[in-house]
Amino acid sequence: MPELQSNQLRARCKSMEFTCKTSAELSPLEGVVGQPRALNALQFGLEIPDKGFNIYVAGSPGTGRTTAVSRYLKELAAKVREVPSDWCYVTNYKNQFKPTALEFPAGMGRVFVTKIDKFVEAARTSIQRMMESEEYAQQREEVTQSYEAQRDELTEEMRAKAQEAGFVLQGTQTGLLMVPVIQGKPITPDMIPKLKPEVRKQIEERRTALESELRSAFRKLRAFERDLREELKQMEEKGVRFTLDPLINEIEEEFAGNEKAVAWLNQLADDMIENLNEFIGRVPQGLPPELLQRLPSPEDFAKRYKVNLIVDNSETEGVPIVEVTNAAYNRLFGVIEKEPRFGAFVTDTTMIRAGYIHQANGGYIVIPVRELLLAPASYEALKRSLQNDEIVIEEPVAALGFLSVKTLHPEPISLKVKVILIGEPLWYQQLYQLDPDFRELFKVKADFDTSMDRNKDAVLIYGDFVCTLTEKEDLLPLTAEAIAEVVDFSSRLADDQNKLSTRFDVVSDIIREANFYAKKARKKTIELAHIKKALDERFFRSSLYAEKVREYIKKGVILIDTKGEAIGQINGLSVLSLGDFSFGQPSRITATVAPGRGQVIDIEREAQLSGPIQIKGVQILTGFLHETFGQDKPLSLSARITFEQSYGGVDGDSASSTELYALLSVLSGVPIQQRFAVTGSVNQHGQVQAIGGINQKIEGYFAVCKEMGLTGDQGVLMPESNVQNLMLKDEVIEAVEAGKFHIHSVRTIREGIELLTGVPAGQKKVNGSYPEDSIFGRVDKRLREMANIMREHNRPAG
């Protein structure tokens, strides 16, 4: 149970010359510090082309995972010259609810858009010019005159027959009216009832005969008009087709290799001819005013001929790399926008918008897994896209299966993309266990560690990281002593003298804050004092609660003794975490015993304030009692252990050795020196095991002792296996060097109880007993007495 020396309390980086490389001198991955395993997995996952080998990058925030992915993707993209295709959506004239997707080589999508826009404008102008030409007017006049001559001939013939039958034909708004003629004069309808019955009968008979002939003639007239309209329409279509063909042929020649685009272009021409009135803005005759108001303008109608270029890679170099910041369904997979019109929301092909997945098609997409899982429908839609190798744009409510709305259903686009999810290891474990699809789609895991080995090469690389940060963010350069302090802080973050933390976000923030203090002091470099000030200020800003706890201890509100001795009472150490800040504080642990049935009762557990690991720790120390003292007698005790003045949940086993010391004290009747605080877990064989938060625990107890007055004999008992984790503050180290504070490492409960009581623990004799004056001897004696009491108590009366 040696007392630790100051050189064991912290690893110190010697001030050395750091030859900083600029960002231009660093290779794309050289700045990704201390992650060889993760980079190997990342390289494999990005380069293998097989389906399903998408990547999950696991690691805590700030470990360089996003930087590593970004840098490696840029390096990989620079090697690939093949640029993925452009994608367009156009109106499907056979089914306007299902827009057609067209694929073009990179850059040709924009060309196609321009060509079609010019084609539509040229087509409208050329058609109007053709229709206004004298040649077209003459042809139309010739056709019209031919049919009008036939119509006039038939009409004259009808009038002659009517006259022969004693009638005259008069034109009205509803058609031709047969008016009887008597003595060469037409008679009005009101005169007919005044005629003699036989005259009326003759008129009716002649009318009936004439109507039959007139109906036949009217049918011929309607046929003439129908034939005229049809011939005029055919002539018009022929003229329009003749006008459009040269314009279409020019585009077809340029896109001859794209059969789907050429076929759509011909469909476009057919639709123009079919909807010629709307295209050129010719208003049909006879429409009511309310319908005239709803007719689209030629410009609005021409939207059906617009090409919607949703993916434009004309300026893309290499493969696209898309880093997603918002994984909402609409952002990821695109959206069909709508606009209000005449009291309703309407849409068309030009309102289809691409998502991140479209932009990344043919390349790589990086998605934060947390945002992906929190966005409704996004994760399931991503899986479907990867499984089916296609991108489907649909309404989110339809994707969720809640509601089916009548809207556009664009043709799916073929998908070839490598997906990189970035998230914490817990998300990966949950998805891997609960979702079989995830295992098939994300077969590569790149695991980023929170620490790296500390050696000379690693320290130099860390120096490169610091220099790259200062160059990138235009910070002041660091002196060698300042970089050394940053390296030491990194080891403290890692809680290990032989490790460096890869939580670069925290390290970077310290450097940024130190840069602020250096500039404020008008220095040209960031010096050691500025780094230390940044660390001290960072602690001070978050330490209000820790100061309040120490204040309550000093006032006696929270009972903690740092001198004297007491039986069954000991100072335990725990760590409180408050988001970005954690600190250590002492807690009084007490134990009481009485004869009983071999139970060690954790009062926290009885009050349902104890976590499962805390409960396990109590069971383990019970196992130690049985192993050490229960081989020749039943343990007939009832012990109770508690954290005094603890009103919240307690978990963890780092106080199990402390609780055992309190039990041994109360069983032996030997007091524990209250100048000590203790931490460490224990196994059933009495070995003291490593715990977490050792630096915060020691510094927390030191702060309490300093507040209440250092006596020169106060200190901490800690597991020997935690010595390598010590990265204590200078203040604590200086107190140890001055003999004002002491830190002892122990390997076993025997070593610890001897230091705490000043009494030997005692070695077991051949006969199984312990020396009477030893701690274990006194415990063994007390347990025998309790066993006898219980035996007498349970003996039948009489």
Side-chain angles (χ1 to χ4, degrees):
M1 45 186 174
E3 181 176 351
L4 300 182
Q5 303 302 309
S6 61
N7 62 351
Q8 296 176 281
L9 305 182
R10 173 174 173 172
R12 290 193 182 274
C13 178
K14 296 180 181 179
S15 178
M16 55 192 297
E17 290 297 326
F18 291 93
T19 304
C20 292
K21 296 180 180 180
T22 65
S23 58
E25 295 172 323
L26 287 169
S27 68
L29 290 183
E30 197 173 352
V32 182
V33 183
Q35 305 287 359
R37 180 180 290 102
L39 293 179
N40 178 270
L42 188 60
Q43 180 178 0
F44 165 74
L46 291 176
E47 294 183 357
I48 185 171
D50 299 54
K51 184 176 180 178
F53 283 85
N54 297 294
I55 308 167
Y56 188 103
V57 178
S60 299
T63 54
R65 52 188 188 171
T66 304
T67 301
V69 170
S70 179
R71 287 182 176 176
Y72 192 83
L73 284 176
K74 289 178 181 177
E75 181 186 41
L76 192 63
K79 297 177 182 178
V80 180
R81 296 186 177 180
E82 183 180 354
V83 181
S85 302
D86 293 343
W87 285 94
C88 304
Y89 271 116
V90 294
T91 302
N92 181 350
Y93 302 110
K94 296 179 180 178
N95 185 346
Q96 295 190 28
F97 288 101
K98 294 185 177 180
T100 301
L102 299 179
E103 182 180 8
F104 297 93
M108 292 305 294
R110 180 179 292 186
V111 174
F112 189 73
V113 170
T114 304
K115 291 286 184 182
I116 295 301
D117 286 345
K118 291 181 178 179
F119 165 75
V120 172
E121 188 60 35
R124 181 185 292 110
T125 303
S126 298
I127 291 172
Q128 289 174 339
R129 188 183 300 119
M130 182 270 295
M131 291 183 172
E132 293 169 359
S133 67
E134 293 183 4
E135 181 182 357
Y136 178 76
Q138 184 178 353
Q139 291 177 358
R140 185 180 179 89
E141 183 66 24
E142 290 175 357
V143 172
T144 303
Q145 287 179 356
S146 174
Y147 278 96
E148 285 180 349
Q150 296 180 53
R151 184 191 62 188
D152 292 345
E153 182 181 345
L154 181 60
T155 303
E156 191 59 37
E157 182 182 337
M158 291 169 56
R159 290 183 184 278
K161 288 184 178 181
Q163 187 176 2
E164 184 181 343
F167 290 88
V168 64
L169 297 179
Q170 293 181 351
T172 66
Q173 292 182 349
T174 59
L176 290 176
L177 179 66
M178 292 184 296
V179 179
V181 177
I182 297 178
Q183 295 178 356
K185 294 183 180 181
I187 62 173
T188 59
D190 58 329
M191 296 174 61
I192 293 178
K194 298 176 182 179
L195 298 175
K196 295 179 179 181
E198 58 270 17
V199 176
R200 290 201 306 268
K201 183 177 180 183
Q202 290 175 2
I203 291 174
E204 191 63 31
E205 288 175 352
R206 292 198 309 268
R207 183 194 299 274
T208 302
L210 182 59
E211 281 180 346
S212 176
E213 293 185 25
L214 288 180
R215 277 196 295 269
S216 177
F218 283 140
R219 283 196 294 270
K220 289 181 181 181
L221 277 176
R222 285 194 293 269
F224 284 154
E225 292 174 356
R226 185 171 58 249
D227 291 344
L228 174 60
R229 287 195 300 269
E230 185 63 27
E231 186 167 348
L232 288 175
K233 181 179 179 183
Q234 290 178 2
M235 185 186 72
E236 186 177 76
E237 289 181 0
K238 183 179 179 181
V240 172
R241 180 75 68 181
F242 182 79
T243 303
L244 295 180
D245 280 348
L247 302 175
I248 293 175
N249 292 338
E250 181 183 346
I251 303 176
E252 285 183 345
E253 289 177 5
E254 187 167 357
F255 295 92
N258 194 327
E259 296 181 0
K260 193 173 182 181
V262 171
W264 175 79
L265 187 60
N266 287 294
Q267 292 174 15
L268 180 149
D270 293 341
D271 189 78
M272 279 184 176
I273 295 171
E274 185 176 345
N275 299 280
L276 190 59
N277 286 340
E278 292 84 352
F279 178 56
I280 64 174
R282 186 170 60 190
V283 180
Q285 296 180 356
L287 282 180
E290 60 272 14
L291 292 181
L292 285 174
Q293 294 178 358
R294 298 194 174 214
L295 286 177
S297 66
E299 291 74 19
D300 287 341
F301 186 80
K303 283 185 177 181
R304 66 194 285 117
Y305 306 126
K306 283 279 187 181
V307 177
N308 184 3
L309 180 60
I310 66 167
V311 178
D312 181 9
N313 285 313
S314 58
E315 297 180 2
T316 303
E317 297 180 3
V319 295
I321 301 169
V322 176
E323 297 183 12
V324 175
T325 55
N326 183 347
Y329 181 89
N330 288 350
R331 294 292 187 89
L332 202 55
F333 296 97
V335 62
I336 303 170
E337 295 179 343
K338 297 176 180 63
E339 63 181 10
R341 189 180 298 170
F342 298 113
F345 284 98
V346 297
T347 187
D348 56 52
T349 305
T350 63
M351 296 185 190
I352 300 174
R353 300 289 178 260
Y356 289 125
I357 200 80
H358 295 88
Q359 298 167 14
N361 198 4
Y364 306 91
I365 184 168
V366 183
I367 308 174
V369 71
R370 183 176 183 274
E371 282 72 12
L372 178 67
L373 296 176
L374 290 177
S378 290
Y379 175 61
E380 291 298 327
L382 178 64
K383 288 195 303 179
R384 284 195 300 271
S385 296
L386 295 176
Q387 289 167 338
N388 300 327
D389 296 324
E390 65 180 21
I391 311 171
V392 177
I393 301 178
E394 58 182 337
E395 296 289 340
V397 290
L400 290 168
F402 293 153
L403 180 67
S404 179
V405 294
K406 189 173 183 180
T407 184
L408 300 181
H409 297 281
E411 179 184 1
I413 289 176
S414 61
L415 174 66
K416 183 179 180 182
V417 69
K418 180 76 72 172
V419 179
I420 302 101
L421 297 182
I422 297 182
E424 296 188 24
L426 177 62
W427 290 109
Y428 177 86
Q429 295 163 11
Q430 294 291 323
L431 289 169
Y432 192 88
Q433 292 174 4
L434 301 176
D435 186 4
D437 295 334
F438 177 81
R439 300 174 219 160
E440 294 299 318
L441 295 173
F442 293 88
K443 297 180 180 180
V444 180
K445 179 186 179 185
D447 218 341
F448 278 71
D449 199 354
T450 55
S451 64
M452 57 185 283
D453 291 336
R454 176 171 176 164
N455 51 48
K456 183 178 180 180
D457 291 338
V459 170
L460 291 174
I461 293 174
Y462 225 83
D464 287 338
F465 157 72
V466 172
C467 295
T468 302
L469 175 70
T470 56
E471 179 195 359
K472 180 181 178 182
E473 300 190 9
D474 195 25
L475 308 178
L476 295 176
L478 278 73
T479 64
E481 293 80 6
I483 295 179
E485 186 66 19
V486 170
V487 170
D488 289 347
F489 171 68
S490 175
S491 287
R492 178 179 171 86
L493 273 182
D495 278 328
D496 198 318
Q497 297 177 1
N498 302 312
K499 295 286 185 180
L500 293 173
S501 174
T502 57
R503 293 174 58 194
F504 301 110
D505 56 338
V506 179
V507 176
S508 298
D509 285 343
I510 293 299
I511 297 173
R512 294 182 185 109
E513 187 170 342
N515 178 76
F516 168 77
Y517 297 130
K519 284 187 174 181
K520 191 175 181 180
R522 298 185 178 181
K523 297 291 184 178
K524 295 184 178 180
T525 58
I526 299 174
E527 300 172 359
L528 173 62
H530 302 133
I531 297 293
K532 287 188 174 182
K533 181 175 176 61
L535 293 171
D536 292 341
E537 291 295 325
R538 179 173 180 264
F539 179 85
F540 176 76
R541 288 193 296 269
S542 302
S543 60
L544 175 62
Y545 190 81
E547 289 182 4
K548 289 292 183 182
V549 170
R550 292 196 297 270
E551 181 182 336
Y552 289 149
I553 291 175
K554 186 176 182 180
K555 290 180 177 179
V557 177
I558 298 176
L559 300 179
I560 295 292
D561 291 334
T562 59
K563 53 188 175 181
E565 54 185 23
I567 295 175
Q569 176 179 302
I570 190 169
N571 295 323
L573 292 172
S574 58
V575 174
L576 273 69
S577 294
L578 303 175
D580 63 333
F581 178 71
S582 60
F583 67 95
Q585 71 167 38
S587 301
R588 174 175 289 181
I589 297 175
T590 59
T592 59
V593 294
R597 300 183 180 278
Q599 295 176 309
V600 177
I601 298 174
D602 177 13
I603 293 179
E604 269 71 30
R605 179 185 180 183
E606 296 299 310
Q608 297 183 346
L609 293 175
S610 183
I613 300 177
Q614 162 73 7
I615 295 171
K616 178 183 177 183
V618 173
Q619 295 301 314
I620 289 174
L621 71 85
T622 305
F624 170 80
L625 293 176
H626 282 274
E627 169 72 18
T628 308
F629 304 108
Q631 301 300 312
D632 56 354
K633 58 187 173 300
L635 293 186
S636 303
L637 83 162
S638 175
R640 282 171 170 77
I641 304 172
T642 189
F643 283 74
E644 301 289 358
Q645 294 183 286
S646 172
Y647 307 107
V650 177
D651 201 8
D653 64 349
S654 65
S656 57
S657 68
T658 314
E659 294 168 326
L660 182 53
Y661 292 137
L663 270 177
L664 293 175
S665 170
V666 75
L667 285 169
S668 65
V670 178
I672 290 176
Q673 299 179 57
Q674 300 300 293
R675 60 192 177 95
F676 288 114
V678 181
T679 186
S681 70
V682 67
N683 64 24
Q684 294 188 98
H685 300 296
Q687 296 173 313
V688 179
Q689 303 169 143
I691 45 80
I694 187 63
N695 293 297
Q696 289 86 348
K697 290 177 178 178
I698 293 174
E699 290 166 359
Y701 186 62
F702 172 79
V704 169
C705 292
K706 182 181 176 182
E707 191 76 26
M708 300 183 72
L710 290 171
T711 60
D713 61 354
Q714 294 146 330
V716 172
L717 266 68
M718 57 168 284
E720 186 180 67
S721 52
N722 273 128
V723 172
Q724 61 185 338
N725 304 116
L726 292 176
M727 287 296 296
L728 295 171
K729 293 181 178 179
D730 289 339
E731 182 184 23
V732 180
I733 296 174
E734 290 167 2
V736 171
E737 289 177 340
K740 295 181 180 179
F741 195 72
H742 308 272
I743 300 174
H744 302 270
S745 65
V746 296
R747 291 176 297 176
T748 65
I749 291 296
R750 290 174 180 274
E751 294 178 0
I753 197 65
E754 289 179 354
L755 186 61
L756 290 169
T757 62
V759 178
Q763 292 293 328
K764 199 171 191 177
K765 299 178 181 179
V766 177
N767 62 2
S769 64
Y770 294 92
E772 291 185 4
D773 292 335
S774 68
I775 296 293
F776 284 5
R778 298 182 186 194
V779 171
D780 189 59
K781 180 181 178 182
R782 181 72 183 278
L783 290 173
R784 288 185 186 278
E785 292 173 354
M786 289 183 176
N788 290 333
I789 292 173
M790 290 303 297
R791 190 179 298 112
E792 289 297 326
H793 178 75
N794 293 328
R795 181 177 296 173

